[in-house]
Amino acid sequence: MPYETEKTKSSAAAAAAGHAMMEIEAGKPSGNGVVAGGLSHLSETLWREKTSLEIVGDVSARLTWKDLTVMVTLNNGETQKVLEGLTGYAEPGTFTALMGPSGSGKSTLLDALSSRLAANAFLSGTILLNGRKRKLSFGTAAYVTQDDNLIGTLTVRETISYSARLRLPDKMAWSEKRALVESTIIEMGLQDCADTVIGNWHLRGISGGEKRRVSIALEILTRPRLLFLDEPTSGLDSASAFFVTQTLRALAQDGRTVIASIHQPSSEVFELFDQLYLLSSGKTVYFGQAADTYEARTLSLCVMNSYLLI
Ligand SMILES: Nc1ncnc2c1ncn2[C@@H]1O[C@H](COP(=O)(O)OP(=O)(O)OP(=O)(O)O)[C@@H](O)[C@H]1O
């Protein structure tokens, strides 16, 4: 199979960037911010049927970024460019995968987009939410870290219920919170293990993939429209990684904007991405459609393999 040349790579990135630029220039979400095709039968719908409360946050979140550059100040006082001139967008109802070799800047891009950059990192460029420059308000966005910080002796249902008590507004009735907890359990495919303990080093509990889905469940309780995930499949076997990614795809299809960094996905997992943002040394190598795209698949293999050969 012939490897893509640098020229092909940059023309793919340029075409994607051009498309993104046009989208950014438009400056407003298509369809008044409402996801075309409506919501799926997942928790958003289940929950709305059971409550009279408005959803927290916007109806949908369309994120665009233009010319993003991140510089960090190192301990010796020198500066290092970690991201350089990145442009792209993520639409409601889509799942965008950030890929690239270790150190290529995936986590930094996620942090920049979710306003979580470290104190020694400086951002330039534009990030627009639904066509406007604004801060992510409470409930609009959620960030799922790589680590599952869960209490081993609680069951899945108890964990999600306690989190609901702590995170959801006081004015929300407990019956509504409970409806949300139950619909989130269904949405995350955790029904079968809802009454099983999380487990720890001396207590057998749920599997690694189920733990990851519980961590995601805790973050989607506030019904965020934007979901960022740092390596949600790391440390999972291929079947668990597939189920977690399938859940993320379903969350996206429920009208959310999902952006996740993914390291070395299997071909089955790759099939589930809507968009691929491929980075190498802090620069865009490819941005565009992922599934069914020969170019995206070949490029990601080239970038990951060339890194492994170094
Ligand atoms: N706040 C910071 N201070 C110093 N260096 C940083 C900072 N943030 C990122 N870097 C550097 O920028 C580069 C990119 O880091 P980043 O964590 O974004 O890469 P990554 O693609 O997510 O890597 P991995 O897959 O290994 O997690 C690394 O060389 C990292 O050391």
Side-chain angles (χ1 to χ4, degrees), residues 283-294:
K283 294 186 187 141
T284 312
V285 176
Y286 177 89
F287 170 53
Q289 235 193 333
D292 305 325
T293 312
Y294 174 78

Side-chain angles (χ1 to χ4, degrees), residues 79-117:
T79 55
Q80 185 194 337
K81 203 177 264 182
V82 179
L83 297 181
E84 197 176 336
L86 305 189
T87 294
Y89 63 92
E91 299 268 8
T94 62
F95 175 23
T96 302
L98 303 181
M99 280 182 64
S102 181
S104 58
K106 303 180 294 293
S107 304
T108 309
L109 178 56
L110 268 187
D111 289 346
L113 295 177
S114 56
S115 313
R116 288 171 53 108
L117 278 176

Side-chain angles (χ1 to χ4, degrees), residues 155-296:
T155 67
V156 168
R157 182 174 275 114
E158 284 166 349
T159 303
I160 301 174
S161 301
Y162 287 140
S163 189
R165 281 177 193 265
L166 291 169
R167 289 181 185 212
L168 294 171
D170 289 343
K171 64 177 182 188
M172 190 174 178
W174 174 236
S175 58
E176 288 176 334
K177 288 182 185 170
R178 213 165 43 204
L180 180 54
V181 168
E182 292 307 318
S183 58
T184 304
I185 288 174
I186 295 170
E187 181 168 25
M188 298 311 296
L190 293 165
Q191 307 94 302
D192 293 344
C193 62
D195 295 312
T196 307
V197 288
I198 301 290
N200 53 34
W201 62 276
H202 70 101
L203 181 65
R204 180 78 182 92
I206 59 174
S207 70
E210 286 165 341
K211 276 187 194 155
R212 201 56 53 84
R213 280 186 275 149
V214 173
S215 297
I216 299 169
L218 301 184
E219 294 304 327
I220 63 166
L221 274 172
T222 51
R223 312 284 88 190
R225 313 312 309 152
L226 248 174
L227 191 58
F228 300 100
L229 305 103
D230 192 15
E231 307 264 1
T233 57
S234 75
L236 300 181
D237 61 52
S238 55
S240 305
F242 178 75
F243 286 126
V244 167
T245 316
Q246 213 174 28
T247 311
L248 296 178
R249 175 108 197 246
L251 288 175
Q253 286 176 338
D254 210 23
R256 298 185 186 89
T257 309
V258 180
I259 308 178
S261 60
I262 309 265
H263 200 65
Q264 302 216 310
S266 65
S267 52
E268 289 81 12
V269 166
F270 196 97
E271 294 282 331
L272 297 169
F273 304 157
D274 293 308
Q275 292 203 107
L276 172 68
Y277 204 110
L278 188 60
L279 289 169
S280 179
S281 307
K283 294 186 187 141
T284 312
V285 176
Y286 177 89
F287 170 53
Q289 235 193 333
D292 305 325
T293 312
Y294 174 78
E295 190 182 32

